[in-house]
Amino acid sequence: MNVENLLETAITNLNFDKLMSIPGGAAPLLTSHKDRTLTNLEKHLDAPVRIRQELGFDDVRGFVEYVKAFSSPATVVFASPGGVTAIFDYHQPDKPSWATHRAFYNLQLTPEWRAWAGMAGRSMDQRAFAEFLDENRESIKAPSGSELLTAVRQMRATVTSKIASLVQDDGINATFDFKKDVEVKAGNQVELPKALTVVLKPYDGLDDLPGGQIAYELEARISYALDEENKRIAFSYAIQNFERAKKRAFDGIVKAIGDAIGDVKLFVGAKV
């Protein structure tokens, strides 16, 4: 039975009064004055009157290919640090739209970036700081791996010790004297760098974009606070130009996606 016969049968046998359509609407409607109902017949058509689809992508390549496959003059892309959204049936200046066909690419920070961002500015004792440096040593370019490992081992050897004195701070390295008993002269001197050079990529999963993603060399400046009363020391660090590097990485992502999707309109800064 074709759609026309189906509609005629419905009107005749189901007590519907008439078939009608709303100006601008593509799906036919059946009205019943008796029951005061309005029935949308779209589900009986051969195909939907418009695409209703929302897709999320974890892979930027899939997002780009989907945009290229479904884009039209009505397609726009919005980019913000939280993610990139493509709307394939967006409003036109003289033609509003329901904008029901969308694709999302969620920008995720790399585990390394999240690790360094998460501990920046937080106070850590000897043990916590040594473990943090050890767990994230692959991100550290300078000092060298052997120098860093030596410092970590020395710090781990002093976790039950108390600090006797700051021996030297020349702006590049700081040397501390730890003793099991501060009254005993023999101790264990630990030299730590005052700054680390870390190499980080802000966003995850973007290496397959044309040109890849730049890894940024950033300086992590280490500071320390001495607790003279308890003879303990707390460490923290601050990463220079951290947010600036993230912003530059985002700008690079926007350009790479824009280049990949061609003539599709792309707007930056809007959250949709």
PDB file of all heavy atoms in Angstrom, residues 101-124:
ATOM      1  N   HIS A 101      20.938  18.460  13.036  1.00  0.00           N
ATOM      2  CA  HIS A 101      22.002  17.563  12.582  1.00  0.00           C
ATOM      3  C   HIS A 101      23.340  18.152  13.022  1.00  0.00           C
ATOM      4  O   HIS A 101      23.759  19.202  12.526  1.00  0.00           O
ATOM      5  CB  HIS A 101      21.945  17.409  11.059  1.00  0.00           C
ATOM      6  CG  HIS A 101      22.915  16.397  10.542  1.00  0.00           C
ATOM      7  ND1 HIS A 101      23.263  16.308   9.205  1.00  0.00           N
ATOM      8  CD2 HIS A 101      23.629  15.427  11.168  1.00  0.00           C
ATOM      9  CE1 HIS A 101      24.123  15.331   9.038  1.00  0.00           C
ATOM     10  NE2 HIS A 101      24.372  14.788  10.212  1.00  0.00           N
ATOM     11  N   ARG A 102      23.991  17.472  13.973  1.00  0.00           N
ATOM     12  CA  ARG A 102      25.205  18.014  14.585  1.00  0.00           C
ATOM     13  C   ARG A 102      26.269  16.936  14.747  1.00  0.00           C
ATOM     14  O   ARG A 102      25.972  15.747  14.877  1.00  0.00           O
ATOM     15  CB  ARG A 102      24.902  18.616  15.969  1.00  0.00           C
ATOM     16  CG  ARG A 102      23.861  19.721  15.944  1.00  0.00           C
ATOM     17  CD  ARG A 102      23.639  20.290  17.321  1.00  0.00           C
ATOM     18  NE  ARG A 102      22.694  21.411  17.288  1.00  0.00           N
ATOM     19  CZ  ARG A 102      22.766  22.475  18.076  1.00  0.00           C
ATOM     20  NH1 ARG A 102      23.740  22.582  18.961  1.00  0.00           N
ATOM     21  NH2 ARG A 102      21.870  23.449  17.984  1.00  0.00           N
ATOM     22  N   ALA A 103      27.513  17.390  14.799  1.00  0.00           N
ATOM     23  CA  ALA A 103      28.642  16.516  15.126  1.00  0.00           C
ATOM     24  C   ALA A 103      29.554  17.263  16.087  1.00  0.00           C
ATOM     25  O   ALA A 103      29.753  18.475  15.960  1.00  0.00           O
ATOM     26  CB  ALA A 103      29.408  16.108  13.867  1.00  0.00           C
ATOM     27  N   PHE A 104      30.084  16.533  17.057  1.00  0.00           N
ATOM     28  CA  PHE A 104      30.922  17.135  18.090  1.00  0.00           C
ATOM     29  C   PHE A 104      32.297  16.476  18.107  1.00  0.00           C
ATOM     30  O   PHE A 104      32.414  15.266  17.920  1.00  0.00           O
ATOM     31  CB  PHE A 104      30.301  16.955  19.485  1.00  0.00           C
ATOM     32  CG  PHE A 104      28.869  17.392  19.595  1.00  0.00           C
ATOM     33  CD1 PHE A 104      27.841  16.489  19.402  1.00  0.00           C
ATOM     34  CD2 PHE A 104      28.554  18.701  19.891  1.00  0.00           C
ATOM     35  CE1 PHE A 104      26.515  16.872  19.512  1.00  0.00           C
ATOM     36  CE2 PHE A 104      27.234  19.097  20.002  1.00  0.00           C
ATOM     37  CZ  PHE A 104      26.214  18.180  19.817  1.00  0.00           C
ATOM     38  N   TYR A 105      33.308  17.284  18.331  1.00  0.00           N
ATOM     39  CA  TYR A 105      34.630  16.745  18.657  1.00  0.00           C
ATOM     40  C   TYR A 105      35.063  17.401  19.964  1.00  0.00           C
ATOM     41  O   TYR A 105      35.249  18.615  20.037  1.00  0.00           O
ATOM     42  CB  TYR A 105      35.660  17.030  17.565  1.00  0.00           C
ATOM     43  CG  TYR A 105      37.037  16.553  17.957  1.00  0.00           C
ATOM     44  CD1 TYR A 105      37.302  15.195  18.085  1.00  0.00           C
ATOM     45  CD2 TYR A 105      38.056  17.448  18.254  1.00  0.00           C
ATOM     46  CE1 TYR A 105      38.537  14.741  18.490  1.00  0.00           C
ATOM     47  CE2 TYR A 105      39.304  17.003  18.656  1.00  0.00           C
ATOM     48  CZ  TYR A 105      39.545  15.652  18.769  1.00  0.00           C
ATOM     49  OH  TYR A 105      40.762  15.205  19.185  1.00  0.00           O
ATOM     50  N   ASN A 106      35.176  16.583  21.012  1.00  0.00           N
ATOM     51  CA  ASN A 106      35.534  17.103  22.330  1.00  0.00           C
ATOM     52  C   ASN A 106      37.049  17.177  22.469  1.00  0.00           C
ATOM     53  O   ASN A 106      37.742  16.165  22.325  1.00  0.00           O
ATOM     54  CB  ASN A 106      34.958  16.215  23.436  1.00  0.00           C
ATOM     55  CG  ASN A 106      33.441  16.246  23.464  1.00  0.00           C
ATOM     56  OD1 ASN A 106      32.839  17.297  23.294  1.00  0.00           O
ATOM     57  ND2 ASN A 106      32.825  15.092  23.645  1.00  0.00           N
ATOM     58  N   LEU A 107      37.549  18.362  22.744  1.00  0.00           N
ATOM     59  CA  LEU A 107      38.987  18.539  22.940  1.00  0.00           C
ATOM     60  C   LEU A 107      39.367  18.040  24.332  1.00  0.00           C
ATOM     61  O   LEU A 107      38.839  18.522  25.339  1.00  0.00           O
ATOM     62  CB  LEU A 107      39.360  20.021  22.793  1.00  0.00           C
ATOM     63  CG  LEU A 107      39.331  20.572  21.365  1.00  0.00           C
ATOM     64  CD1 LEU A 107      39.491  22.073  21.374  1.00  0.00           C
ATOM     65  CD2 LEU A 107      40.426  19.932  20.519  1.00  0.00           C
ATOM     66  N   GLN A 108      40.268  17.069  24.369  1.00  0.00           N
ATOM     67  CA  GLN A 108      40.715  16.487  25.626  1.00  0.00           C
ATOM     68  C   GLN A 108      42.175  16.845  25.860  1.00  0.00           C
ATOM     69  O   GLN A 108      43.005  16.722  24.958  1.00  0.00           O
ATOM     70  CB  GLN A 108      40.554  14.961  25.593  1.00  0.00           C
ATOM     71  CG  GLN A 108      39.123  14.490  25.393  1.00  0.00           C
ATOM     72  CD  GLN A 108      38.255  14.735  26.603  1.00  0.00           C
ATOM     73  OE1 GLN A 108      38.746  14.842  27.732  1.00  0.00           O
ATOM     74  NE2 GLN A 108      36.944  14.844  26.390  1.00  0.00           N
ATOM     75  N   LEU A 109      42.491  17.263  27.073  1.00  0.00           N
ATOM     76  CA  LEU A 109      43.881  17.544  27.420  1.00  0.00           C
ATOM     77  C   LEU A 109      44.649  16.236  27.580  1.00  0.00           C
ATOM     78  O   LEU A 109      44.102  15.225  28.012  1.00  0.00           O
ATOM     79  CB  LEU A 109      43.946  18.353  28.716  1.00  0.00           C
ATOM     80  CG  LEU A 109      43.319  19.753  28.666  1.00  0.00           C
ATOM     81  CD1 LEU A 109      43.298  20.372  30.060  1.00  0.00           C
ATOM     82  CD2 LEU A 109      44.063  20.649  27.696  1.00  0.00           C
ATOM     83  N   THR A 110      45.935  16.271  27.227  1.00  0.00           N
ATOM     84  CA  THR A 110      46.759  15.077  27.376  1.00  0.00           C
ATOM     85  C   THR A 110      46.940  14.749  28.857  1.00  0.00           C
ATOM     86  O   THR A 110      46.876  15.632  29.727  1.00  0.00           O
ATOM     87  CB  THR A 110      48.148  15.285  26.747  1.00  0.00           C
ATOM     88  OG1 THR A 110      48.809  16.370  27.425  1.00  0.00           O
ATOM     89  CG2 THR A 110      48.046  15.599  25.261  1.00  0.00           C
ATOM     90  N   PRO A 111      47.158  13.474  29.189  1.00  0.00           N
ATOM     91  CA  PRO A 111      47.409  13.113  30.588  1.00  0.00           C
ATOM     92  C   PRO A 111      48.593  13.876  31.175  1.00  0.00           C
ATOM     93  O   PRO A 111      48.573  14.254  32.363  1.00  0.00           O
ATOM     94  CB  PRO A 111      47.686  11.605  30.515  1.00  0.00           C
ATOM     95  CG  PRO A 111      46.985  11.151  29.277  1.00  0.00           C
ATOM     96  CD  PRO A 111      47.116  12.297  28.306  1.00  0.00           C
ATOM     97  N   GLU A 112      49.629  14.098  30.363  1.00  0.00           N
ATOM     98  CA  GLU A 112      50.811  14.817  30.861  1.00  0.00           C
ATOM     99  C   GLU A 112      50.466  16.264  31.203  1.00  0.00           C
ATOM    100  O   GLU A 112      50.889  16.788  32.242  1.00  0.00           O
ATOM    101  CB  GLU A 112      51.929  14.778  29.814  1.00  0.00           C
ATOM    102  CG  GLU A 112      52.475  13.393  29.504  1.00  0.00           C
ATOM    103  CD  GLU A 112      51.581  12.598  28.562  1.00  0.00           C
ATOM    104  OE1 GLU A 112      50.644  13.186  27.976  1.00  0.00           O
ATOM    105  OE2 GLU A 112      51.800  11.380  28.431  1.00  0.00           O
ATOM    106  N   TRP A 113      49.699  16.901  30.335  1.00  0.00           N
ATOM    107  CA  TRP A 113      49.312  18.292  30.596  1.00  0.00           C
ATOM    108  C   TRP A 113      48.458  18.380  31.867  1.00  0.00           C
ATOM    109  O   TRP A 113      48.643  19.257  32.702  1.00  0.00           O
ATOM    110  CB  TRP A 113      48.547  18.858  29.397  1.00  0.00           C
ATOM    111  CG  TRP A 113      48.268  20.326  29.489  1.00  0.00           C
ATOM    112  CD1 TRP A 113      47.213  20.928  30.137  1.00  0.00           C
ATOM    113  CD2 TRP A 113      49.059  21.390  28.948  1.00  0.00           C
ATOM    114  NE1 TRP A 113      47.287  22.288  30.020  1.00  0.00           N
ATOM    115  CE2 TRP A 113      48.421  22.599  29.295  1.00  0.00           C
ATOM    116  CE3 TRP A 113      50.230  21.434  28.201  1.00  0.00           C
ATOM    117  CZ2 TRP A 113      48.917  23.838  28.909  1.00  0.00           C
ATOM    118  CZ3 TRP A 113      50.727  22.674  27.822  1.00  0.00           C
ATOM    119  CH2 TRP A 113      50.078  23.847  28.177  1.00  0.00           C
ATOM    120  N   ARG A 114      47.527  17.439  32.003  1.00  0.00           N
ATOM    121  CA  ARG A 114      46.660  17.443  33.183  1.00  0.00           C
ATOM    122  C   ARG A 114      47.463  17.185  34.452  1.00  0.00           C
ATOM    123  O   ARG A 114      47.168  17.750  35.513  1.00  0.00           O
ATOM    124  CB  ARG A 114      45.548  16.409  33.024  1.00  0.00           C
ATOM    125  CG  ARG A 114      44.466  16.853  32.044  1.00  0.00           C
ATOM    126  CD  ARG A 114      43.266  15.918  32.024  1.00  0.00           C
ATOM    127  NE  ARG A 114      43.500  14.743  31.216  1.00  0.00           N
ATOM    128  CZ  ARG A 114      43.664  13.523  31.677  1.00  0.00           C
ATOM    129  NH1 ARG A 114      43.620  13.302  32.983  1.00  0.00           N
ATOM    130  NH2 ARG A 114      43.866  12.501  30.868  1.00  0.00           N
ATOM    131  N   ALA A 115      48.479  16.326  34.356  1.00  0.00           N
ATOM    132  CA  ALA A 115      49.295  16.026  35.535  1.00  0.00           C
ATOM    133  C   ALA A 115      50.045  17.270  36.016  1.00  0.00           C
ATOM    134  O   ALA A 115      50.028  17.600  37.209  1.00  0.00           O
ATOM    135  CB  ALA A 115      50.274  14.904  35.218  1.00  0.00           C
ATOM    136  N   TRP A 116      50.694  17.964  35.093  1.00  0.00           N
ATOM    137  CA  TRP A 116      51.469  19.143  35.480  1.00  0.00           C
ATOM    138  C   TRP A 116      50.554  20.304  35.878  1.00  0.00           C
ATOM    139  O   TRP A 116      50.860  21.055  36.806  1.00  0.00           O
ATOM    140  CB  TRP A 116      52.397  19.560  34.344  1.00  0.00           C
ATOM    141  CG  TRP A 116      53.594  18.663  34.223  1.00  0.00           C
ATOM    142  CD1 TRP A 116      53.713  17.567  33.425  1.00  0.00           C
ATOM    143  CD2 TRP A 116      54.827  18.754  34.943  1.00  0.00           C
ATOM    144  NE1 TRP A 116      54.949  16.982  33.588  1.00  0.00           N
ATOM    145  CE2 TRP A 116      55.650  17.695  34.519  1.00  0.00           C
ATOM    146  CE3 TRP A 116      55.306  19.651  35.898  1.00  0.00           C
ATOM    147  CZ2 TRP A 116      56.932  17.497  35.029  1.00  0.00           C
ATOM    148  CZ3 TRP A 116      56.595  19.455  36.402  1.00  0.00           C
ATOM    149  CH2 TRP A 116      57.386  18.388  35.961  1.00  0.00           C
ATOM    150  N   ALA A 117      49.432  20.445  35.187  1.00  0.00           N
ATOM    151  CA  ALA A 117      48.489  21.513  35.546  1.00  0.00           C
ATOM    152  C   ALA A 117      47.852  21.242  36.906  1.00  0.00           C
ATOM    153  O   ALA A 117      47.617  22.167  37.698  1.00  0.00           O
ATOM    154  CB  ALA A 117      47.405  21.648  34.480  1.00  0.00           C
ATOM    155  N   GLY A 118      47.582  19.966  37.181  1.00  0.00           N
ATOM    156  CA  GLY A 118      46.891  19.621  38.414  1.00  0.00           C
ATOM    157  C   GLY A 118      47.700  19.881  39.670  1.00  0.00           C
ATOM    158  O   GLY A 118      47.127  20.159  40.728  1.00  0.00           O
ATOM    159  N   MET A 119      49.029  19.782  39.585  1.00  0.00           N
ATOM    160  CA  MET A 119      49.866  19.962  40.773  1.00  0.00           C
ATOM    161  C   MET A 119      50.537  21.331  40.837  1.00  0.00           C
ATOM    162  O   MET A 119      51.185  21.653  41.839  1.00  0.00           O
ATOM    163  CB  MET A 119      50.933  18.870  40.827  1.00  0.00           C
ATOM    164  CG  MET A 119      50.379  17.466  41.041  1.00  0.00           C
ATOM    165  SD  MET A 119      49.368  17.310  42.538  1.00  0.00           S
ATOM    166  CE  MET A 119      50.602  17.612  43.816  1.00  0.00           C
ATOM    167  N   ALA A 120      50.377  22.143  39.794  1.00  0.00           N
ATOM    168  CA  ALA A 120      51.021  23.465  39.794  1.00  0.00           C
ATOM    169  C   ALA A 120      50.492  24.306  40.950  1.00  0.00           C
ATOM    170  O   ALA A 120      49.288  24.418  41.157  1.00  0.00           O
ATOM    171  CB  ALA A 120      50.757  24.170  38.470  1.00  0.00           C
ATOM    172  N   GLY A 121      51.415  24.881  41.709  1.00  0.00           N
ATOM    173  CA  GLY A 121      51.051  25.741  42.831  1.00  0.00           C
ATOM    174  C   GLY A 121      50.693  25.008  44.109  1.00  0.00           C
ATOM    175  O   GLY A 121      50.445  25.650  45.136  1.00  0.00           O
ATOM    176  N   ARG A 122      50.668  23.691  44.076  1.00  0.00           N
ATOM    177  CA  ARG A 122      50.299  22.923  45.273  1.00  0.00           C
ATOM    178  C   ARG A 122      51.551  22.545  46.066  1.00  0.00           C
ATOM    179  O   ARG A 122      52.579  22.177  45.516  1.00  0.00           O
ATOM    180  CB  ARG A 122      49.533  21.668  44.877  1.00  0.00           C
ATOM    181  CG  ARG A 122      48.200  21.970  44.214  1.00  0.00           C
ATOM    182  CD  ARG A 122      47.454  20.720  43.817  1.00  0.00           C
ATOM    183  NE  ARG A 122      47.142  19.886  44.960  1.00  0.00           N
ATOM    184  CZ  ARG A 122      46.447  18.747  44.891  1.00  0.00           C
ATOM    185  NH1 ARG A 122      46.020  18.319  43.703  1.00  0.00           N
ATOM    186  NH2 ARG A 122      46.201  18.049  45.968  1.00  0.00           N
ATOM    187  N   SER A 123      51.433  22.619  47.365  1.00  0.00           N
ATOM    188  CA  SER A 123      52.556  22.313  48.240  1.00  0.00           C
ATOM    189  C   SER A 123      52.718  20.803  48.392  1.00  0.00           C
ATOM    190  O   SER A 123      51.740  20.076  48.599  1.00  0.00           O
ATOM    191  CB  SER A 123      52.328  22.959  49.612  1.00  0.00           C
ATOM    192  OG  SER A 123      53.389  22.657  50.487  1.00  0.00           O
ATOM    193  N   MET A 124      53.973  20.332  48.273  1.00  0.00           N
ATOM    194  CA  MET A 124      54.275  18.902  48.412  1.00  0.00           C
ATOM    195  C   MET A 124      55.450  18.714  49.354  1.00  0.00           C
ATOM    196  O   MET A 124      56.418  19.487  49.307  1.00  0.00           O
ATOM    197  CB  MET A 124      54.620  18.299  47.042  1.00  0.00           C
ATOM    198  CG  MET A 124      53.464  18.230  46.070  1.00  0.00           C
ATOM    199  SD  MET A 124      53.975  17.649  44.422  1.00  0.00           S
ATOM    200  CE  MET A 124      54.502  19.220  43.687  1.00  0.00           C
TER     201      MET A 124
END
